[in-house]
Amino acid sequence: MVKAKELWATLCMDLGFRLFSGLPCVEFKPLYDTMDPSFMHYIPATSEETALGIINGFWFTGQRGAILLGADNIYRITPDLEKINMAYKIPALIIVPSLKYKLSKSVLTATLKDIDLFSFVEGFEAERTVAILELGGAISK
Amino acid sequence: MKMKREVLLKLFTGLFKSNDAIIVAGSSFCKELSTFVNIPNFMFVEDEDGVAAAMALGVALGTPKRVFFLCEDYYALKCLDTLSNLAVSRCSNLFVIVFATKVYPDLEFCPTIYGSLSSLKGMLFNMGFKAYGYTGHFTNVQQSKTTMKNILKNLKGPAVGIIELSPRAKPVSANFNHTKMVDAFKDLVVSDIGTSLFNPPTELSEASWQNS
């Protein structure tokens, strides 16, 4: 069981993620409920491409951002991940409740309970690759 | 059309200041502009899906620098959903310039629906942009330069400007080093050389949104 408040605290306070964007997903409800505007911003995007673009642009400012997407929506941005993020070497962290599709081998995927989030984030950013973080299981407040 | 396409584009891209960040979208438009502009200020994104437009918003949210997004009308029409996100952003340093050729790039026989729309400017205005038409300002080079410089200096975003111009005569083939361009653009955005904004934004750090 992933605690939503603890996840936000680690991502925002410890790892410095400030901006989040994405489309609504029912499995993220505990995450939405525990969002705190005092240390993070969430921008509701009109499409998956928009969410990806906002976070890509935010990376240029030297700050960290991540995308929250439903498991079924990730396939919509896989062409853009290859055409833009991988071609231009712009790192992106995408948080999904679970991963249903097989993605390109150059996309790092990990399940939250199996990894050390700090080294995972440092690692994919240094290599400038796209990383997908599966929450893997129910999230509680 | 009173001014030739290349003359107008060269004139317009010459109006930017050294601390402005400019994002260009559309594969062939990027190739065309990359042949005559200063790379460090420009980020060419060979994208057709609206990601580049949203990138401009992402940059504008994290920096007080002026961020310009340049695209052709086919791209703007394709990513109206993304433009609506830009329109409600309240980023006073975000400017969209749409070059309306009324045809798809390098396909002069395929018109876009720009000409059939009652008003793209009106649509963008209703989304929340301050919308302007600049076509009439491009008459002769010297006069246009002075007028447009003043307009851009006093512009407050989120604003959109529409400039009608003739279609590209022939496809342009140009290559640019993606990684080098990304690094140079990031260095420009994170650098503390300040902004040329006429009205410095105050609420940027809050990233306040009308509907959040």
Side-chain angles (χ1 to χ4, degrees):
Chain A
M1 186 73 80
V2 181
K3 292 261 186 198
K5 270 190 177 175
E6 284 173 20
L7 181 64
W8 285 134
T10 315
L11 280 174
C12 304
M13 304 300 223
D14 304 333
L15 284 163
F17 281 83
R18 283 287 173 268
L19 187 73
F20 296 85
S21 186
L23 268 82
C25 168
V26 70
E27 288 162 279
F28 282 141
K29 194 174 180 300
L31 285 180
Y32 299 138
D33 290 343
T34 49
M35 281 178 174
D36 187 344
S38 63
F39 57 80
M40 62 174 286
H41 303 294
Y42 178 78
I43 296 176
T46 48
S47 67
E48 291 80 4
E49 291 90 351
T50 308
L52 177 68
I54 291 171
I55 299 305
N56 280 352
F58 198 64
W59 174 79
F60 282 100
T61 68
Q63 298 169 76
R64 282 173 169 163
I67 304 154
L68 298 174
L69 282 185
D72 293 331
N73 297 341
I74 195 124
Y75 76 94
R76 289 176 198 251
I77 55 165
T78 41
D80 296 307
L81 290 174
E82 285 178 17
K83 250 182 1 193
I84 297 172
N85 287 70
M86 290 175 194
Y88 289 69
K89 297 199 171 163
I90 301 172
L93 176 65
I94 303 166
I95 300 170
V96 294
S98 60
L99 198 55
K100 293 179 183 172
Y101 301 93
K102 270 200 167 180
L103 296 166
S104 153
K105 279 183 182 171
S106 45
V107 176
L108 278 180
T109 52
T111 309
L112 184 61
K113 63 178 168 45
D114 300 334
I115 52 151
D116 171 32
L117 201 53
F118 287 84
S119 46
F120 178 69
V121 169
E122 298 292 342
F124 90 81
E125 280 190 342
E127 289 171 31
R128 286 200 188 182
T129 46
V130 176
I132 296 183
L133 180 64
E134 260 186 287
L135 296 184
I139 316 163
S140 70
K141 278 190 184 179
Chain B
M1 235 66 62
K2 284 172 185 171
M3 205 177 276
K4 280 185 180 175
R5 179 186 174 95
E6 201 182 327
V7 177
L8 190 150
L9 287 175
K10 274 186 181 171
L11 189 154
F12 193 83
T13 48
L15 297 171
F16 300 120
K17 298 190 176 177
S18 58
N19 48 5
D20 291 338
I22 303 113
I23 294 178
V24 186
S27 185
S28 48
F29 194 44
C30 284
K31 283 175 184 163
E32 184 183 11
L33 286 195
S34 70
T35 56
F36 55 80
V37 296
N38 179 21
I39 294 291
N41 281 58
F42 283 78
M43 173 76 194
F44 299 105
V45 188
E46 291 175 285
D47 145 69
E48 312 286 348
D49 301 327
V51 178
M55 277 170 77
L57 173 58
V59 176
L61 282 167
T63 172
K65 286 187 172 60
R66 300 199 304 176
V67 181
F68 288 87
F69 173 67
L70 314 184
C71 67
E72 289 183 300
D73 58 331
Y74 82 95
Y75 186 95
L77 290 167
K78 197 175 177 186
C79 68
L80 280 173
D81 58 338
T82 306
L83 290 181
S84 63
N85 244 136
L86 270 66
V88 299
S89 71
R90 287 189 189 173
C91 285
S92 53
N93 58 338
L94 180 58
F95 313 100
V96 178
I97 307 293
V98 180
F99 292 95
T101 57
K102 302 176 190 173
V103 291
Y104 280 89
D106 307 327
L107 295 166
E108 278 189 47
F109 50 88
C110 290
T112 65
I113 60 162
Y114 177 84
S116 310
L117 285 171
S118 55
S119 168
L120 178 65
K121 197 173 89 174
M123 281 171 67
L124 295 168
F125 174 78
N126 285 336
M127 282 180 182
F129 282 112
K130 294 167 188 79
Y132 307 97
Y134 294 139
T135 316
H137 295 300
F138 290 93
T139 45
N140 71 66
V141 175
Q142 201 47 53
Q143 199 182 329
S144 311
K145 211 172 180 178
T146 320
T147 317
M148 285 310 298
K149 247 185 184 172
N150 276 332
I151 288 173
L152 292 186
K153 192 180 163 192
N154 297 310
L155 204 57
K156 192 177 178 190
V160 62
I162 298 177
I163 302 168
E164 291 185 4
L165 81 169
S166 52
R168 194 173 298 110
K170 55 180 180 184
V172 181
S173 57
N175 287 315
F176 33 82
N177 183 333
H178 287 161
T179 317
K180 209 175 165 185
M181 178 179 64
V182 166
D183 289 339
F185 189 73
K186 191 177 182 190
D187 288 345
L188 172 94
V189 173
V190 296
S191 68
D192 53 357
I193 52 172
T195 173
S196 50
L197 262 185
F198 178 68
N199 289 312
T202 52
E203 71 280 15
L204 277 181
S205 57
E206 296 297 320
S208 54
W209 285 73
Q210 282 174 333
N211 298 323
S212 62

